[in-house]
Amino acid sequence: MCILYFQVSQAQIYELGIFAGGSNFIGDIGATNYISPNQLAIGGIAKWNRSPRHSWRISVTYTDLTADDAKSDDPRRKQRGYEFNSTILEFSAGMEFNFFDFNLHIDEKMMTPYIYTGITTAYHENFYFNNGSSTSEDTKSWAYGIPLVLGIKAKLTEHLIFGLEVGARYTFSDELDGSKPDSEWLVDNNSFGNINNNDWYTFTGITVTYTFGRKPCYCNF
């Protein structure tokens, strides 16, 4: 007597790659354009593709955030003349959802728009403004936030995927631009701007990832 078993082993397709592009800040200093890259942003990205429609994603991105009142359309900001430059290191994790099936198990060229969201945290320097000049507090903090990313990606070769994305980060902090000092004793006399609006920053750029992992295996016993 013979018994035939049919077993399907699901593939796990992973991606590793880089992000390169630009960043811009939206807050109480400088211009308020949402997509206006003015500093280099670079980082690494990893994905775990769980289905043709979604994947888990983590990333690390480094950039300088800079803003200058002289480049604002608001005459009050131009008259004030504040500016700052601060480095941040962002860690992000969440889910990427594809609008169309993006099945990496088949060797075909394909393309799809996608969205990504999750949680971010940015490690940044603390500073405040003293007589119009940014002054370091000699401390650093974590700014948590939510990424809102829209992009399009294409599989052009067997293992390489190219993408273009724009991602805004809404943070739960108003300290990235120095408008609200981190130190309690500085808050009353050195805060400015709209205390009801938290800081945003945006990454715009390209991703290039390399795919690897097991394709589906169908085995008979």
Side-chain angles (χ1 to χ4, degrees):
M1 184 173 56
C2 295
I3 300 176
L4 179 68
Y5 293 91
F6 183 72
Q7 180 181 21
V8 179
S9 176
Q10 290 292 333
Q12 305 294 334
I13 299 295
Y14 305 95
E15 297 178 48
L16 283 177
I18 62 169
F19 169 87
S23 66
N24 65 283
F25 175 80
I26 308 110
D28 292 305
I29 296 177
T32 54
N33 301 322
Y34 278 91
I35 303 175
S36 182
N38 54 26
Q39 290 293 315
L40 176 67
I42 191 165
I45 187 169
K47 299 180 187 181
W48 179 21
N49 293 280
R50 295 292 292 149
S51 80
R53 284 299 183 96
H54 81 284
S55 60
W56 297 107
R57 163 175 162 170
I58 59 173
S59 63
V60 180
T61 310
Y62 176 85
T63 190
D64 284 331
L65 288 183
T66 183
D68 187 349
D69 280 345
K71 298 180 180 179
S72 173
D73 295 329
D74 187 339
R76 294 169 298 179
R77 292 194 180 190
K78 286 186 176 181
Q79 184 178 13
R80 182 181 60 188
Y82 282 4
E83 62 178 306
F84 77 91
N85 186 295
S86 176
T87 60
I88 67 166
L89 181 64
E90 182 203 78
F91 300 88
S92 180
M95 178 182 288
E96 185 175 290
F97 177 80
N98 303 320
F99 284 86
F100 308 132
D101 280 353
F102 201 72
N103 191 347
L104 298 178
H105 300 154
I106 59 178
D107 295 329
E108 295 180 4
K109 293 181 180 179
M110 61 191 77
M111 182 170 62
T112 182
Y114 64 88
I115 57 175
Y116 165 74
T117 191
I119 189 170
T120 64
T121 182
Y123 192 54
H124 67 92
E125 304 167 7
N126 293 318
F127 60 96
Y128 66 100
F129 281 84
N130 183 18
N131 295 323
S133 299
S134 61
T135 304
S136 175
E137 296 186 59
D138 295 322
T139 60
K140 293 187 176 182
S141 296
W142 294 94
Y144 294 91
I146 298 174
L148 307 168
V149 179
L150 177 63
I152 186 169
K153 60 185 177 181
K155 179 184 176 185
L156 301 181
T157 70
E158 182 181 358
H159 292 289
L160 289 180
I161 297 175
F162 296 85
L164 173 64
E165 66 178 39
V166 177
R169 271 68 170 172
Y170 170 77
T171 73
F172 302 109
S173 171
D174 198 21
E175 299 179 0
L176 292 176
D177 57 3
S179 62
K180 181 182 178 182
D182 183 64
S183 301
E184 297 262 344
W185 61 277
L186 290 170
V187 170
D188 291 338
N189 296 323
N190 297 91
S191 296
F192 63 91
N194 189 341
I195 61 173
N196 296 315
N197 284 346
N198 290 336
D199 297 328
W200 293 70
Y201 60 92
T202 302
F203 290 144
T204 305
I206 61 172
T207 62
V208 181
T209 57
Y210 179 83
T211 66
F212 62 97
R214 295 184 292 110
K215 291 188 176 183
C217 175
Y218 301 92
C219 305
N220 292 329
F221 296 92

